Amino acid sequence: RSVAAWPTRRRNPRQPRPAQSIQADRILAAAGDELRMAIESLGSTSTAMARTVVTSIAASILAAFAAIYCCRRLWHQRCKECCQKLRLASDAVGLIGSTPLIELKFLSRITGCRVLAKAEFMNPGGSSKDRVAAAIVAEAEASGELRPGGTIVEATAGSTGVSLALVARARGYHCLLITPDDTSQEKQKLIRALGASLEVVKPAGISDPQHPVNVARARAKNLGAGSIFCNQYDNLANMRAHERGMAEEIWEQTAGEVDAFVMGAGTGGTIAGVSRVLKRRKPAVRTFLVDPPGSALYHRVKHGVLYCEQQQERTARRNRHRRSASHSLKQGEYLHARLLRRGLACRSYASCSAGRVTADSELRFPRPFTPFAFRYDTIMEGVGCDRLTANFEAALIDEAFRVEDAESVAMAHRLLAEEGLFVGGSSAMNCVGVLRAARTLGPDKTIVTVLCDGGSRYVSSIFATDR
């Protein structure tokens, strides 16, 4: 049998055969031809000639087996060197990327498609934002904008902040992060534990100077030369990181057998980078956006208009009934629980209204209770946007789906129960999007999505046991 048949069982048949295997095949073929000619000549030769023929046959066989042995040794040595390269990293940044694809069996069974998920929660910082942080810092270093001893400044809802804090520590920079007060407490504690400075601000519109992005830009400007404002929303290093990394990995891991890519968008860098590479390599690949409530990206894809029903002025008016801190917080907690059950609550009780309830001031909820007195928000973190970013504008998206918070929470618990995967809300939302995409595409397709981060950062929200 052909030597090439041995390693074929252990490798993807679509991958090219190694040169050693091809060389061994040629040696065996030559030995076989010589053996066949020798056997044909045995009947018409003398005894001395027969001995010579048998000797040459034996030598050919020994040479063939020696060649096979040498080729296999070379092949195993090459594999060993590759494994050593994978294991050896100069620092924590070198561990970023090369995450595996996981087949989600229960979703595959339900949809009739092959559902694969990129396990980005296995990055050292615990999310796909590690790729973005490493790329932004590397490009800033190469351009000379970021200098030794400088500070990395960014506005973040949490995951990018964790990744930037990790990369800053590995590269020897300071890190200052601006985050809205509705970021989960788990993320805030993790950022501080990684040594970054964290400034918590109240959410505001992008035109407001107190918006986290505008605050971060001002802080970086005050720090002067040598420090950078990452600007993950409009910095195209974000998209390029996924073009070079995640997109190429998906193509190689699926051997080009991918029919659709499904994902939500926050900055838009991931879906832009992956969609551009996959469509360049295989134009038939379809890209689906998954969008949470309160985000305007769904209508941008469907109708070309950046619009969201929950943010229109008629229903998003602010509640003017304020009271002092002496008023009990129990009333607010009770109504926040009602909002959560009805799918109308935001990420935390501290930001459950447009007035942003805090320890210093609280809303006095009028009777009868009307949910339209509150600006709609979502329990999902890091996904959805109410403006068009430079990264998202570069994405090649075919279709969009709106996914409610209740569906995402249910899917997060289902993934834990069925697959043993403890993932966050955005990962679960992506998987709900897979179900919608499968209905559109039909059975026998390969659908790839992303498990952005783990569930440990959402114990107080997605996996809260007290509600």
Side-chain angles (χ1 to χ4, degrees):
R1 295 187 60 177
S2 171
V3 176
W6 299 353
T8 299
R9 300 177 184 175
R10 298 190 295 271
R11 65 177 176 85
N12 192 319
R14 296 184 181 87
Q15 294 178 350
R17 289 171 54 195
Q20 293 91 341
S21 175
I22 297 173
Q23 183 181 3
D25 259 0
R26 290 173 181 169
I27 294 172
L28 281 177
D33 291 340
E34 189 173 348
L35 178 60
R36 184 170 56 256
M37 293 172 60
I39 291 174
E40 290 174 355
S41 65
L42 278 176
S44 59
T45 56
S46 62
T47 303
M49 182 63 71
R51 288 175 185 164
T52 304
V53 170
V54 171
T55 302
S56 65
I57 291 172
S60 299
I61 293 174
L62 288 174
F65 278 106
I68 293 170
Y69 175 76
C70 292
C71 289
R72 287 177 64 85
R73 282 289 302 272
L74 288 171
W75 178 246
H76 287 308
Q77 181 66 25
R78 184 179 176 185
C79 292
K80 184 177 180 180
E81 290 174 358
C82 290
C83 291
Q84 288 176 345
K85 288 180 181 178
L86 288 175
R87 286 195 297 265
L88 182 61
S90 59
D91 55 19
V93 178
L95 299 173
I96 296 171
S98 300
T99 55
L101 273 180
I102 302 173
E103 183 172 0
L104 302 181
K105 295 180 180 177
F106 92 95
L107 284 180
S108 299
R109 184 176 64 251
I110 291 171
T111 61
C113 297
R114 189 184 185 200
V115 179
L116 305 175
K118 193 82 166 124
E120 288 296 289
F121 59 85
M122 295 183 68
N123 281 305
S127 77
S128 59
K129 294 297 185 179
D130 284 10
R131 299 178 186 266
V132 179
I136 290 176
V137 171
E139 290 194 13
E141 288 175 334
S143 66
E145 189 178 358
L146 181 61
R147 303 169 192 170
T151 301
I152 300 170
V153 185
E154 179 59 332
T156 171
S159 291
T160 305
V162 173
S163 300
L164 284 171
L166 183 70
V167 172
R169 271 298 178 97
R171 296 295 197 201
Y173 299 110
H174 303 289
C175 187
L176 171 61
L177 302 171
I178 315 298
T179 188
D181 62 7
D182 52 4
T183 300
S184 69
Q185 290 298 313
E186 290 88 355
K187 288 182 180 179
Q188 293 187 34
K189 291 177 181 177
L190 182 56
I191 288 171
R192 290 191 173 101
L194 289 171
S197 301
L198 184 65
E199 184 177 339
V200 181
V201 300
K202 293 184 180 297
I206 188 63
S207 60
D208 192 325
Q210 295 305 310
H211 186 279
V213 171
N214 297 328
V215 173
R217 184 181 287 109
R219 297 289 185 273
K221 184 178 180 180
N222 293 336
L223 288 170
S227 298
I228 62 166
F229 168 50
C230 294
N231 193 17
Q232 59 172 323
Y233 287 89
D234 297 306
N235 189 339
L236 294 180
N238 184 344
M239 179 186 70
R240 290 190 289 269
H242 295 292
E243 284 182 327
R244 295 189 300 264
M246 188 187 299
E248 294 294 342
E249 291 171 19
I250 289 173
W251 183 259
E252 292 177 5
Q253 290 168 330
T254 60
E257 295 295 322
V258 54
D259 298 298
F261 179 71
V262 182
M263 191 180 176
T267 63
T270 306
I271 196 168
V274 175
S275 65
R276 289 167 66 89
V277 171
L278 293 184
K279 283 182 174 290
R280 183 167 64 244
R281 290 180 174 271
K282 186 178 178 181
V285 173
R286 299 192 67 187
T287 306
F288 297 91
L289 170 73
V290 189
D291 211 32
S295 173
L297 301 180
Y298 169 79
H299 283 291
R300 173 67 183 183
V301 175
K302 295 287 286 186
H303 310 295
V305 178
L306 203 63
Y307 167 77
C308 176
E309 301 92 334
Q310 290 87 357
Q311 301 295 353
Q312 57 183 317
E313 290 301 320
R314 181 177 63 84
T315 59
R317 60 182 180 272
R318 295 183 180 276
N319 194 315
R320 300 175 182 175
H321 301 273
R322 295 183 179 273
R323 285 197 65 178
S324 64
S326 60
H327 184 64
S328 173
L329 292 176
K330 292 183 179 180
Q331 184 183 17
E333 292 170 353
Y334 168 73
L335 288 176
H336 180 247
R338 286 183 59 186
L339 281 168
L340 283 173
R341 287 195 295 271
R342 296 175 63 177
L344 295 172
C346 55
R347 290 182 278 269
S348 66
Y349 165 64
S351 59
C352 70
S353 68
R356 300 294 166 188
V357 181
T358 64
D360 299 323
S361 64
E362 185 191 350
L363 298 179
R364 180 180 180 183
F365 300 95
R367 302 295 189 201
F369 169 68
T370 56
F372 298 110
F374 297 86
R375 180 170 290 276
Y376 197 98
D377 205 345
T378 173
I379 200 171
M380 300 297 112
E381 294 185 29
V383 287
C385 194
D386 57 1
R387 66 185 181 95
L388 187 61
T389 67
N391 283 288
F392 185 82
E393 197 169 12
L396 304 175
I397 302 174
D398 300 295
E399 183 62 272
F401 306 119
R402 176 80 79 198
V403 173
E404 299 298 327
D405 285 354
E407 296 176 282
S408 300
V409 173
M411 179 61 75
H413 288 269
R414 187 74 183 276
L415 286 169
L416 181 58
E418 297 281 352
E419 302 284 353
L421 292 172
F422 187 44
V423 296
S426 57
S427 304
M429 187 187 72
N430 291 343
C431 291
V432 176
V434 167
L435 295 177
R436 308 275 178 85
R439 291 189 198 135
T440 302
L441 296 171
D444 302 323
K445 303 292 184 181
T446 299
I447 304 174
V448 178
T449 189
V450 180
L451 302 179
C452 308
D453 57 6
S456 59
R457 300 176 183 181
Y458 305 91
V459 174
S460 62
S461 55
I462 301 295
F463 294 97
T465 58
D466 56 349
R467 59 180 177 85

